[in-house]
């Protein structure tokens, strides 16, 4: 263990002393050796049987156990099964250097390789945002899809995003996808980059990390809450509570799929944000933890990923109860 730590420290020192371009090439050379190691964990060819994951779904590849839930399909039929370029778990990869999925052109041929997530439970009519970190050496030809089967890459697939660039890149990507019907879907990263290399024998590689799948609303801004009223304190206590009903439709008249938050303003400031169980049509209430005596205006609005909806307001006068 001490020898390994000493070796890694030496590599860091040496790389830090190189120009940026040489740092990248040296890092890739080290990566190449590690990826070629037989000790690297390889994704299973067939997916494990498991219940579909709920949303939001996050994968940073820091956990080698979760990595086993991923599968892959390699169509490099011109190579023997032992020589095919497969996706691997690289424990020092990614922006946080704690783990990533990596594929490397190791045999002087182009890629034709799929990396496929465990099943994801998605609802029809909902829009989901898929985001991830992607890095590659040399120009990529990379595609991301949602599949309806972990073994069928053609039937019913939904395009998420294409990453076709003219040079190496390191960037975060994001795309919104509307799902046609309820079901289990599989997020698939397909790399079919032709063989790319340079005079130093460095070849194309791609790294994926920080994958997120979250539900987002494709609705317009919500309308204002209804029935906003003040609730008097018990036995005349100095108190201020509110109750209201969340809207069910957007300002465009669309049915709201969901809401993300409710905001409460006191005299136009001091915003309080509620995020628990903020659902369309739900009856909600809130109590001011520090009411102050005097005339005040309380306003309530709800919002989604499109932004804040219209506000409903109520004017009130808080006084100290006297016996």
């Amino acid at each position: 263990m001490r020898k390994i730590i000493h070796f890694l420290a030496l590599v860091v020192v040496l790389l830090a002393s190189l120009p940026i371009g040489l740092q990248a090439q040296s890092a890739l050379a080290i990566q190449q050796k590690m990826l070629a190691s037989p000790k690297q964990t390889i994704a299973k060819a067939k997916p494990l049987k498991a219940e579909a994951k709920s949303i939001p779904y996050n994968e940073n590849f820091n956990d080698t156990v979760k990595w086993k839930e991923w599968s892959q399909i390699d169509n490099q039929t011109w190579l023997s099964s032992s020589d095919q370029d497969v996706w691997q778990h690289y424990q020092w990869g990614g922006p946080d250097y704690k783990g990533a999925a990596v594929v490397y052109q190791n045999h002087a041929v182009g890629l034709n390789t799929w990396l496929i997530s465990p099943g994801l439970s998605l609802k029809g009519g909902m829009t989901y945002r898929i985001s991830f970190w992607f890095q590659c050496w040399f120009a990529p030809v990379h595609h991301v899809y949602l599949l309806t089967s972990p073994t069928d890459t053609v039937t019913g697939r939904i395009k998420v995003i294409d990453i076709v660039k003219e040079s190496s890149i390191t960037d975060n990507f994001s795309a919104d996808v509307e799902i046609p019907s309820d079901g289990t879907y599989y997020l698939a990263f397909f790399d079919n980059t032709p063989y790319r290399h340079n005079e130093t024998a460095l070849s194309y590689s791609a790294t994926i990390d920080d994958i997120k799948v979250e539900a987002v609303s494709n609705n317009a801004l919500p309308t204002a809450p209804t029935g906003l009223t003040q609730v008097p304190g018990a036995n005349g206590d100095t108190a201020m509570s509110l109750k209201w009903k969340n809207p069910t439709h957007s300002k465009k008249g669309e049915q709201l799929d969901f809401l993300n938050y409710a905001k409460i303003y006191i005299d136009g400031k001091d915003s309080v944000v509620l995020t628990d169980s903020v659902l369309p049509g739900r009856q909600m209430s809130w109590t001011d933890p520090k009411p102050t005596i005097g005339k005040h205006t309380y306003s309530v609005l709800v919002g989604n990923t499109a932004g804040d909806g219209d506000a409903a307001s109520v004017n009130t006068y808080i006084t100290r109860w006297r016996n």
Side-chain angles (χ1 to χ4, degrees):
M1 177 60 71
R2 291 183 179 177
K3 290 182 178 179
I4 293 175
I5 295 173
H6 178 72
F7 168 75
L8 293 177
L10 180 59
V11 169
V12 171
V13 172
L14 290 175
L15 291 181
S17 65
L18 294 175
I20 296 299
L22 291 179
Q23 285 185 33
Q25 292 186 8
S26 298
L28 187 58
I30 293 172
Q31 183 184 44
Q32 178 180 359
K33 293 179 181 179
M34 291 180 174
L35 291 178
S37 168
K39 295 181 180 180
Q40 291 294 323
T41 305
I42 298 176
K44 292 181 179 295
K46 295 182 179 180
L48 296 175
K49 292 184 179 180
E51 292 185 4
K53 306 294 183 182
S54 60
I55 303 302
Y57 173 77
N58 299 279
E59 180 56 76
N60 57 17
F61 295 112
N62 293 357
D63 187 340
T64 56
V65 174
K66 290 183 179 179
W67 168 250
K68 295 179 182 180
E69 297 177 344
W70 288 68
S71 62
Q72 64 181 294
I73 300 173
D74 198 317
N75 294 321
Q76 289 179 312
T77 55
W78 52 89
L79 293 174
S80 66
S81 58
S82 61
D83 286 336
Q84 291 178 355
D85 297 319
V86 296
W87 287 93
Q88 302 185 46
H89 178 261
Y90 180 37
Q91 62 180 328
W92 292 293
D96 59 357
Y97 305 105
K98 293 182 178 179
V102 182
V103 66
Y104 187 77
Q105 290 180 348
N106 223 14
H107 298 90
V109 295
L111 296 175
N112 196 311
T113 305
W114 295 78
L115 178 66
I116 303 172
S117 77
L120 306 174
S121 180
L122 306 182
K123 294 180 62 177
M126 291 292 295
T127 295
Y128 294 87
R129 179 162 298 151
I130 298 170
S131 58
F132 56 94
W133 181 87
F134 181 83
Q135 181 183 69
C136 66
W137 298 95
F138 303 99
V141 181
H142 193 93
H143 311 277
V144 183
Y145 299 97
L146 282 172
L147 306 178
T148 55
S149 166
T151 57
D152 186 345
T153 60
V154 177
T155 306
R157 75 182 185 188
I158 303 170
K159 186 177 80 170
V160 176
I161 192 172
D162 294 323
I163 305 176
V164 181
K165 305 292 183 180
E166 296 181 355
S167 61
S168 304
I169 56 171
T170 299
D171 206 350
N172 292 296
F173 290 86
S174 177
D176 291 354
V177 180
E178 185 171 350
I179 301 303
S181 59
D182 292 0
T184 299
Y185 293 79
Y186 303 82
L187 183 60
F189 296 87
F190 174 47
D191 204 304
N192 64 336
T193 303
Y195 181 57
R196 305 197 196 281
H197 64 98
N198 63 12
E199 65 280 0
T200 65
L202 298 178
S203 300
Y204 173 86
S205 69
T207 306
I208 298 170
D209 199 12
D210 291 342
I211 299 168
K212 297 180 178 65
V213 181
E214 55 187 335
V216 296
S217 174
N218 57 350
N219 298 130
L221 298 173
T223 56
T226 57
L228 176 64
T229 56
Q230 66 184 80
V231 180
N235 299 320
D237 288 345
T238 301
M240 180 60 195
S241 297
L242 302 173
K243 65 177 182 179
W244 69 90
K245 186 177 182 180
N246 291 336
T248 57
H249 288 78
S250 74
K251 295 171 69 172
K252 290 185 177 181
E254 299 171 335
Q255 184 81 24
L256 288 171
D257 297 319
F258 63 92
L259 297 169
N260 297 83
Y261 56 85
K263 291 182 179 179
I264 302 168
Y265 294 86
I266 305 173
D267 299 328
K269 56 184 179 180
D270 299 327
S271 174
V272 176
V273 180
L274 308 178
T275 57
D276 291 339
S277 301
V278 183
L279 304 173
R282 185 173 186 267
Q283 189 73 39
M284 298 192 67
S285 61
W286 172 81
T287 299
D288 189 343
K290 296 181 179 180
T292 57
I293 295 173
K295 185 178 180 180
H296 300 284
T297 299
Y298 286 80
S299 301
V300 178
L301 61 81
V302 295
N304 54 24
T305 55
D308 293 347
D310 291 337
S313 299
V314 61
N315 295 319
T316 184
Y317 189 89
I318 301 174
T319 183
R320 179 179 290 107
W321 179 74
R322 294 182 180 178
N323 204 346

